[in-house]
Amino acid sequence: DQLAQNDETLQGTTVQVADQDAQGEVPVGWCRDEDGKLKPIRGEIIAFDLNSSESSSLQDRFRNFRLNKMKAQRQEAINSKKKQEERQDPARMQDLRQMFIDRCKSYYGIPYAKKYHQPDSELYHSSKFLDCCGLVRQVLRDMKNELGFSPGPWNQAYQFDTLPIRYETWKEMKPGDLVFAEGEYVKPGMKQQPGNIVHVEVFLGGGSEGKSVCGARWNSGVVQEFDSYEFAAKSWTLTRWHFCSIDTWLSGVCKSFNPDRKWKRKQWVPGSRSIFHAEEEDQMAEDMQDEEGEEGGGTGSRGVRRFFVSDPIKYRTVAEVLERKGWQQVIAN
């Protein structure tokens, strides 16, 4: 549908340009070459034979476009189903699980955060810092091509919500699964985490009792291996442990399964000085209009705000916004 709309717009633009050319005018976004012919400014050269009797009608082209689009959608659905079946292959998932573990171990020695180290220490000058959820997020981003997704920017509470397969005991877990801690922060006034999920580590299944994990546990520490997931934290009190399978991620799915929590990126809101500011009344424009009135009609150079874009077609949206705000576009000769 969008391509069809673009096609109609492009045809209308071509006809309009042809009419203006006949009248000797140079439309916005166009210029004349050495022979006096119109051509787009810094754009692709597009030729149309408007008098060709062999050209198919717009309706025929739109009909063919829809048929081709429907065919492409059917093929895409088939490919998507096939890819999903491949992602759920047990052997492939096991390979990804091992890759996940290996990537986690590759970050051993990376410090938790810069602010917990002295400027004269080696860890202070590390090129990378990873906290508990940062380690998991980094590994998922490293494997985005293999997994088929890139995780959201949120912390361990978000990661917990994206893993719906839960176990009752640690003995059911496989190496690579995650151990989450639910608890409450000790420091008064500190904002609690969604679901009170305060910590995460990666289960390895080794150690003296088969409970070993790896992760970033201490503020002044580094990513390393621990003999057990069980420990007493200083900044939070434990409520319970949660044992989660990463099979959902290994099958190519990373989305929140918690209906009570919506994980959405913050929408960008342009500032008051941005040309995309939503206010209908632009205070700067009003100030300029007042200045123009004082100078007698606004014909002076101080009363006119002008702008220039090197490619009017590419930056059409910016140009339209500025023109609505009273700016005057300078057209290149």
Side-chain angles (χ1 to χ4, degrees), residues 81-254:
K81 183 178 180 180
K82 182 178 179 181
K83 184 177 293 186
Q84 187 64 26
E85 292 175 351
E86 292 175 351
R87 291 187 183 281
Q88 294 177 349
D89 177 66
R92 181 182 182 279
M93 291 177 65
Q94 181 56 41
D95 291 341
L96 290 177
R97 180 179 288 272
Q98 187 59 51
M99 184 183 299
F100 181 82
I101 297 172
D102 294 340
R103 289 299 301 177
C104 288
K105 292 183 177 181
S106 71
Y107 289 109
Y108 281 6
I110 299 298
Y112 186 97
K114 185 174 186 176
K115 63 181 179 180
Y116 298 111
H117 300 280
Q118 297 299 321
D120 58 350
S121 68
E122 182 180 353
L123 295 178
Y124 181 87
H125 299 283
S126 174
S127 60
K128 185 183 292 293
F129 297 89
L130 297 172
D131 58 11
C132 67
C133 62
L135 171 65
V136 176
R137 185 191 308 115
Q138 182 63 56
V139 172
L140 292 180
R141 288 177 176 175
D142 293 344
M143 296 176 59
K144 65 179 181 180
N145 292 333
E146 291 80 7
L147 296 174
F149 67 84
S150 184
W154 303 284
N155 64 9
Q156 65 277 354
Y158 158 77
Q159 295 168 359
F160 178 76
D161 284 351
T162 63
L163 296 175
I165 304 176
R166 315 279 169 81
Y167 300 126
E168 291 296 326
T169 68
W170 66 269
K171 295 180 179 180
E172 300 177 73
M173 288 196 298
K174 302 176 183 177
D177 289 337
L178 301 186
V179 181
F180 291 90
E182 177 184 338
E184 295 185 1
Y185 291 122
V186 176
K187 187 177 180 179
M190 191 170 183
K191 184 179 179 181
Q192 300 297 330
Q193 294 291 343
N196 289 336
I197 303 299
V198 294
H199 187 67
V200 61
E201 291 180 349
V202 181
F203 182 74
L204 298 177
S208 59
E209 298 179 341
K211 298 180 179 180
S212 69
V213 293
C214 70
R217 178 175 295 185
W218 308 114
N219 292 344
S220 58
V222 297
V223 177
Q224 64 184 89
E225 188 168 331
F226 300 95
D227 188 66
S228 174
Y229 65 85
E230 297 173 309
F231 71 102
K234 299 178 181 179
S235 59
W236 46 266
T237 58
L238 179 69
T239 302
R240 60 167 296 189
W241 299 104
H242 293 274
F243 311 110
C244 299
S245 169
I246 64 169
D247 282 350
T248 305
W249 290 348
L250 301 180
S251 63
V253 178
C254 182

